Amino acid sequence: MESGTKILGVDFGLKRVGLAVCDSLHILATPLPVVYTKSMRTSIDRVAAAAKEQCVGGIVVGLPLNLDGSESVQSGRARAFARNLGKVTGLPVELFDERLTTVEADELLIEAGVTKAAERAKLIDSMAAKVILQGYIDNNNGRK
């Protein structure tokens, strides 16, 4: 993604879409509110609106792979979502391996003092988007 522009991170799901954004220097990812959705089309429209609102120059979508690196049904859905999101927004959209991001996100929430599972469930998708985006920017800045 182009330096000097913010990036939107997306943890795509069929019911909830987690979002995060990083600063224009590509240093720190910050979670945004979760988007609740009923269809891929609604998800695309809402994420496109968030991208416009945040003035981002690109989007990173988490690619859910199996632990062995193989693709799953959800991988195909994420690829289709990313492809269509790129068409709708006109922005570059990249996929980034999201294996174990939900586990890491849950651990981060516990460390932050969110001990009740019900409370973590409300925040997990956006925190996973933050982990995806932070991994992407760290990887591309040579810090991983």
Side-chain angles (χ1 to χ4, degrees), residues 20-37:
V21 67
C22 76
D23 58 285
S24 60
L25 297 176
H26 301 179
I27 294 171
L28 183 64
T30 305
L32 296 172
V34 170
V35 171
Y36 292 91
T37 183

Side-chain angles (χ1 to χ4, degrees), residues 8 21 34 41 46 48 59 112 116-117 119 125-126:
L8 186 70
V21 67
V34 170
R41 182 67 218 189
R46 290 189 178 161
I59 302 169
K116 293 184 179 179
E119 289 301 313
D125 299 296
S126 288

Side-chain angles (χ1 to χ4, degrees), residues 47-127:
V47 173
K52 185 175 183 179
E53 181 181 303
Q54 293 293 324
C55 302
V56 301
I59 302 169
V60 174
V61 175
L63 179 62
L65 299 172
N66 294 318
L67 288 178
D68 66 2
S70 63
E71 297 214 5
S72 65
V73 172
Q74 189 64 6
S75 302
R77 289 181 182 130
R79 285 186 182 281
F81 172 81
R83 186 174 48 254
N84 289 315
L85 184 60
K87 289 176 185 175
V88 168
T89 63
L91 295 170
V93 177
E94 293 186 32
L95 294 161
F96 188 75
D97 182 355
E98 70 166 45
R99 280 179 281 183
L100 300 176
T101 55
T102 302
V103 172
E104 185 177 343
D106 196 48
E107 290 171 357
L108 288 170
L109 289 168
I110 290 169
E111 287 175 17
V114 184
T115 56
K116 293 184 179 179
E119 289 301 313
R120 287 196 312 276
K122 294 176 187 176
L123 304 170
I124 195 76
D125 299 296
S126 288
M127 188 60 79

Side-chain angles (χ1 to χ4, degrees), residues 124-135:
I124 195 76
D125 299 296
S126 288
M127 188 60 79
K130 176 203 179 303
V131 171
I132 291 164
L133 182 54
Q134 191 67 54

